[in-house]
């Protein structure tokens, strides 16, 4: 009589639908005794950035959804930026606005650079940084998808195992993404990250992805 009861102590299935899918066991090879367990597959590299695998090691993306297209990533980021920046700017209007547009323009570009971070604007930049980082950290840790990524059917995944990033990884990713963009070099920072989305191989990682060891994939 067959017994279909689960083996005692067996862990429940993980409910994360984005985890890598385990591979089916292969049939016994020639010369292997029937009924003996096949040799376990080689473990995935613990460090996809250097020392974890070496030549011939399993690809960390094996079993995960395909990488996201750079164009969709840029559009998703723009949606997230507008979701935060428009309300933040409207809230700042009673205090003079988050951006100073009242200069007389006599000194042209040089005057704009010199006054680019007055005390007023620096304060709102710091407030904006806190809001952006909190937004990105919360949604990335929640299920890997900000509002923009959800609309474009994308998600952030840990490179080594495909899981939703934990709080530490989500926070690291958000800080690296937003701190330089809001406090020192926005144009250069966005340019570098956009170029990396198209040129970085093999995982299309921006600087924030490299810091947090994440990738952006299609959310099936």
């Amino acid at each position: 009589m067959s017994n279909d009861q689960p083996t005692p102590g067996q862990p429940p299935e993980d409910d994360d639908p984005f985890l890598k899918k385990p591979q089916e066991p292969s049939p016994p090879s020639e010369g292997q005794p029937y009924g003996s367990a096949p040799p376990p597959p080689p473990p995935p590299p613990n460090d996809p950035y250097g020392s974890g695998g070496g030549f011939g090691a399993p690809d960390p993306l094996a079993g995960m959804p395909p990488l996201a297209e750079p164009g969709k990533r840029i559009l998703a980021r723009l949606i997230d930026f507008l979701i935060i920046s428009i309300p933040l700017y409207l809230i700042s209007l009673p205090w003079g606005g988050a951006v100073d547009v009242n200069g007389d323009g006599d000194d042209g570009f040089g005057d704009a650079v010199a006054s680019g971070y007055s005390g007023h604007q620096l304060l709102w930049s710091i407030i904006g940084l806190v809001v952006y980082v909190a937004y990105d950290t919360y949604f990335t840790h929640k299920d890997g998808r900000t509002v923009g990524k959800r609309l474009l059917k994308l998600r952030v995944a840990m490179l080594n195992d495909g899981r939703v990033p934990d709080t530490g990884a989500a926070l690291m990713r958000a800080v690296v993404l937003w701190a330089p963009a809001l406090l020192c070099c926005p144009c250069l920072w966005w340019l570098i990250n956009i170029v990396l989305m198209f040129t970085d191989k093999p995982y299309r990682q921006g600087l924030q992805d490299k810091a947090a060891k994440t990738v952006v994939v299609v959310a099936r």
Side-chain angles (χ1 to χ4, degrees), residues 12-219:
E13 293 287 337
D14 198 311
D15 58 359
D16 186 344
F18 301 107
L19 285 178
K20 296 182 182 181
K21 305 301 181 184
Q23 299 182 359
E24 295 294 331
S26 57
S29 58
E30 184 177 355
Q32 180 181 353
Y34 181 78
S36 62
N46 293 324
D47 180 12
Y49 297 86
S51 60
F55 182 76
D59 185 350
L61 289 178
M64 286 175 62
L67 292 171
E69 297 178 6
K72 287 187 175 182
R73 291 181 62 179
I74 295 171
L75 182 56
R77 181 59 60 195
L78 179 60
I79 292 171
D80 291 329
F81 178 77
L82 294 176
I83 286 173
I84 298 297
S85 62
I86 292 176
L88 193 64
Y89 178 73
L90 293 177
I91 292 172
S92 74
L93 287 178
W95 291 273
V99 179
D100 184 8
V101 293
N102 296 320
D104 56 16
D106 292 342
D107 295 329
F109 180 76
D111 181 64
V113 172
S115 62
Y117 275 106
S118 63
H120 174 81
Q121 189 174 354
L122 179 60
L123 173 62
W124 281 103
S125 295
I126 293 174
I127 293 173
L129 175 62
V130 172
V131 175
Y132 283 111
V133 168
Y135 170 89
D136 238 280
T137 301
Y138 172 77
F139 284 107
T140 300
H141 173 57
K142 180 175 180 286
D143 61 1
R145 294 180 288 183
T146 60
V147 175
K149 286 183 174 64
R150 186 179 297 277
L151 293 175
L152 274 295
K153 300 186 185 306
L154 310 176
R155 73 174 284 266
V156 180
M158 296 304 297
L159 176 58
N160 63 338
D161 60 9
R163 289 183 179 272
V164 169
D166 59 22
T167 304
L171 178 60
M172 171 66 74
R173 191 176 190 277
V175 170
V176 172
L177 175 65
W178 290 110
L182 294 176
L183 297 181
C184 64
C185 45
C187 295
L188 178 61
W189 196 249
W190 292 128
L191 177 62
I192 291 173
N193 276 285
I194 289 173
V195 169
L196 285 174
M197 287 182 195
F198 286 92
T199 62
D200 180 72
K201 297 185 182 300
Y203 304 123
R204 297 178 184 170
Q205 291 174 300
L207 296 175
Q208 71 278 7
D209 291 311
K210 292 182 181 297
K213 297 181 172 61
T214 57
V215 287
V216 181
V217 298
V218 175

